[in-house]
Amino acid sequence: MNSHLNIFKSYTNTNRTYQLENDLTRALAISLQEDSLFFHEVFKEILKDTNFYNQLFESLETEASVSISIQQKASQISNFDHIFAISLSESEIGDFWSQNFDRNYDPICDLVIQINNIVLVFEAKRDNVNCTAQLYNQILNITKTSNDALPFNQKNYGEIITPFDFNWPRLMAIAVKVSSFEKAMSTQNRFLSDFISLVKQHNFRWLPEPSISALQPTNTHAILRRIESTIEEVAKASQINKLNYTDRLGLEFYQNWAKEVLFDCNEKGNLTVNIYPGNTKVQGQSLFEKNPKFNPFLTILGTTYPTEYSYHIKLTSFQKYFQGLWFAETDLKKALYTKDNFNKYTGRKKRGEQWLQLSVLFDECLNYDWRKQCDWENSVINSGKNQFDISFGYKVCIEIPFQKLKELDQKQSDLNNLIHLITEIHQQFSNQLLIND
């Protein structure tokens, strides 16, 4: 899915700094409203040291009414027996009852959740801002609206007010666990997954994500998640855009002969970096203007890595890939990728003579059963298609060992070394990979 279709991401490139707190709060509120499991886990975490949860839900006969709202005035909050004053920030909540910001007005509360007579009031910050004083004043005015007679202090209100430190990493740890469980059960909630994506784009440190040095090479999912966080940071700090797909991880590439650099992780925990030059006929035109050759080595952060390349012939119909041929240099009887062959055999080919010419060409050039590999009879001849598009392309790959990734990524809060790695890989692929005779 294109990341611009994230439910919570506005269609703008403007960094709306002062709007971000409202965006995050609204996204959280909607996710809680639309994902009952997420709401349950958050609510239970906040109430875990009290008896309120059991009072609300221990019986099937209990009737609970839930309301969730954002930007609610303090004067609109009433009919409660207990309030949880919740700080949602990177900064730890301070001593709530030692605050003395006693301003009488009608403040706006970021997020308010009420279940029967229990009220949760959230004050959210986008960064490391301590919001204890602001939260204190909101609760002060909520309680004064209900009872003007009592002075606001712990002695008078301590039994009905509970300050709670719910920092962003703590909240996102719950969100990730719930989303992972839902994914395992094939019930993944779109709202929650988009909320996690929004938060990650803002600050990857809020998500539970160990450095690669703390991982085993078999934990490929966690390694790739760390690489994805790095790519997010590269995209934020440069003019290189992240690919907007969920089925592949990578960066846009800005040469005429290729448009994507893709990242993956193999069973050894090594980072594989792949590029597909000539993946379309337009890209191939740039390649075959000259005799394309690939540099056998690339130097990344002072270390030289060998490049491996293979051939990929792609067949598409209505711009969708449906079959292809993969082969190496040793699978060739004679040169197939020539300028003349490119000009004659790539592009749109219609049923009949043009398909026959292609099969003759492959028979002449390939020394393996290419028909079986691409299921030529079923996928092409007997497919009902009357035409398809064909391109002559390559797959070029380098591999960064897991041990190197461990050396570079030692601290969970510091992605700088991995950012340098990904950036230099992109630069070397762009500037050094292709050698034109």
Side-chain angles (χ1 to χ4, degrees):
M1 182 190 70
N2 190 306
S3 67
H4 290 298
L5 297 180
N6 184 303
I7 296 169
F8 306 117
K9 186 176 181 181
S10 61
Y11 189 67
T12 175
N13 290 323
T14 304
N15 184 10
R16 304 187 304 160
T17 302
Y18 296 102
Q19 180 63 25
L20 182 57
E21 285 173 12
N22 290 338
D23 289 346
L24 290 169
T25 305
R26 176 177 175 273
L28 171 60
I30 294 174
S31 299
L32 291 169
Q33 178 179 276
E34 299 297 330
D35 191 321
S36 56
L37 178 58
F38 179 46
F39 179 89
H40 173 266
E41 294 303 304
V42 169
F43 188 66
K44 190 174 182 180
E45 177 70 13
I46 294 170
L47 270 62
K48 67 179 182 180
D49 292 328
T50 73
N51 198 40
F52 293 120
Y53 180 85
N54 290 334
Q55 292 175 7
L56 288 168
F57 300 115
E58 66 182 355
S59 171
L60 289 174
E61 307 303 320
T62 303
E63 294 185 4
S65 174
V66 179
S67 68
I68 301 174
S69 60
I70 59 174
Q71 299 295 296
Q72 185 172 2
K73 292 183 178 181
S75 60
Q76 298 173 330
I77 302 172
S78 59
N79 300 321
F80 57 85
D81 293 334
H82 200 94
I83 298 179
F84 287 84
I86 303 166
S87 168
L88 185 56
S89 171
E90 285 186 75
S91 176
E92 184 179 351
I93 192 171
D95 186 344
F96 182 85
W97 294 108
S98 68
Q99 305 300 311
N100 54 15
F101 188 59
D102 297 337
R103 178 186 172 194
N104 293 317
Y105 72 119
D106 194 6
I108 302 294
C109 302
D110 286 343
L111 171 62
V112 178
I113 299 174
Q114 185 158 359
I115 301 183
N116 290 3
N117 58 345
I118 308 298
V119 174
L120 282 59
V121 178
F122 293 77
E123 177 57 33
K125 296 299 179 185
R126 67 182 182 275
D127 46 29
N128 192 29
V129 172
N130 192 304
C131 58
T132 310
Q134 187 175 356
L135 184 61
Y136 167 87
N137 195 252
Q138 290 173 1
I139 305 303
L140 164 71
N141 283 277
I142 292 171
T143 54
K144 281 189 174 296
T145 301
S146 301
N147 191 340
D148 292 331
L150 296 175
F152 188 72
N153 55 46
Q154 188 172 10
K155 180 179 179 181
N156 293 320
Y157 288 94
E159 292 186 0
I160 67 168
I161 297 173
T162 302
F164 189 84
D165 183 27
F166 210 172
N167 55 66
W168 282 105
R170 185 176 180 181
L171 173 67
M172 296 314 298
I174 295 174
V176 168
K177 287 179 181 178
V178 171
S179 186
S180 296
F181 176 79
E182 290 174 341
K183 186 176 181 180
M185 298 296 292
S186 300
T187 58
Q188 193 164 26
N189 186 286
R190 169 75 183 277
F191 291 92
L192 182 58
S193 60
D194 277 11
F195 171 61
I196 293 171
S197 178
L198 177 73
V199 171
K200 187 171 186 177
Q201 289 171 20
H202 168 58
N203 193 335
F204 74 92
R205 298 174 183 85
W206 289 357
L207 274 72
E209 183 181 270
S211 66
I212 295 177
S213 64
L215 298 173
Q216 295 298 316
T218 52
N219 196 347
T220 55
H221 177 76
I223 296 170
L224 273 182
R225 194 171 70 186
R226 188 68 167 168
I227 297 300
E228 183 176 13
S229 294
T230 304
I231 289 174
E232 295 275 8
E233 294 301 300
V234 169
K236 286 198 296 187
S238 70
Q239 299 300 312
I240 308 171
N241 293 324
K242 182 188 176 189
L243 292 179
N244 291 314
Y245 304 102
T246 57
D247 61 345
R248 56 190 184 272
L249 175 64
L251 290 165
E252 291 180 0
F253 193 70
Y254 306 110
Q255 295 290 346
N256 293 332
W257 42 271
K259 295 302 177 187
E260 299 177 349
V261 178
L262 303 178
F263 299 84
D264 206 345
C265 186
N266 64 22
E267 68 281 358
K268 298 178 182 178
N270 298 342
L271 178 67
T272 59
V273 189
N274 301 296
I275 194 167
Y276 292 84
N279 194 45
T280 65
K281 183 174 182 180
V282 173
Q283 295 174 16
Q285 286 173 341
S286 176
L287 277 179
F288 286 94
E289 285 178 357
K290 300 180 181 180
N291 181 26
K293 290 184 179 180
F294 301 105
N295 198 327
F297 299 96
L298 290 179
T299 301
I300 312 292
L301 298 181
T303 302
T304 299
Y305 299 96
T307 60
E308 297 182 1
Y309 77 92
S310 58
Y311 299 92
H312 177 42
I313 293 177
K314 186 177 73 168
L315 306 182
T316 59
S317 179
F318 297 102
Q319 298 183 331
K320 290 186 178 181
Y321 174 85
F322 71 91
Q323 264 301 352
L325 294 173
W326 300 86
F327 52 96
E329 198 75 42
T330 55
D331 296 316
L332 288 168
K333 289 190 284 189
K334 69 175 187 177
L336 173 57
Y337 279 23
T338 66
K339 186 174 182 179
D340 288 342
N341 284 346
F342 172 82
N343 291 331
K344 182 177 180 180
Y345 293 104
T346 61
R348 182 151 298 172
K349 299 301 169 186
K350 296 186 180 297
R351 176 182 287 275
E353 183 64 25
Q354 290 184 328
W355 288 10
L356 178 61
Q357 290 175 352
L358 278 172
S359 65
V360 171
L361 175 70
F362 296 156
D363 283 336
E364 291 177 350
C365 297
L366 299 174
N367 63 11
Y368 73 99
D369 191 351
W370 62 268
R371 285 180 173 82
K372 180 178 180 181
Q373 186 187 49
C374 70
D375 194 16
W376 180 259
E377 291 299 318
N378 294 318
S379 295
V380 179
I381 301 299
N382 299 322
S383 66
K385 296 180 175 65
N386 291 315
Q387 64 183 28
F388 59 76
D389 296 315
I390 181 171
S391 61
F392 285 3
Y394 299 85
K395 175 185 177 182
V396 185
C397 176
I398 65 169
E399 192 170 311
I400 310 296
F402 175 73
Q403 186 59 39
K404 184 64 175 181
L405 299 177
K406 287 184 63 174
E407 293 172 5
L408 292 173
D409 189 30
Q410 294 285 324
K411 296 180 179 179
Q412 188 275 338
S413 61
D414 186 2
L415 279 173
N416 284 332
N417 288 338
L418 287 181
I419 290 171
H420 294 325
L421 174 70
I422 298 301
T423 302
E424 186 153 336
I425 287 172
H426 192 278
Q427 290 174 348
Q428 291 298 94
F429 269 58
S430 181
N431 299 331
Q432 303 296 327
L433 180 61
L434 189 61
I435 303 172
N436 287 314
D437 288 347

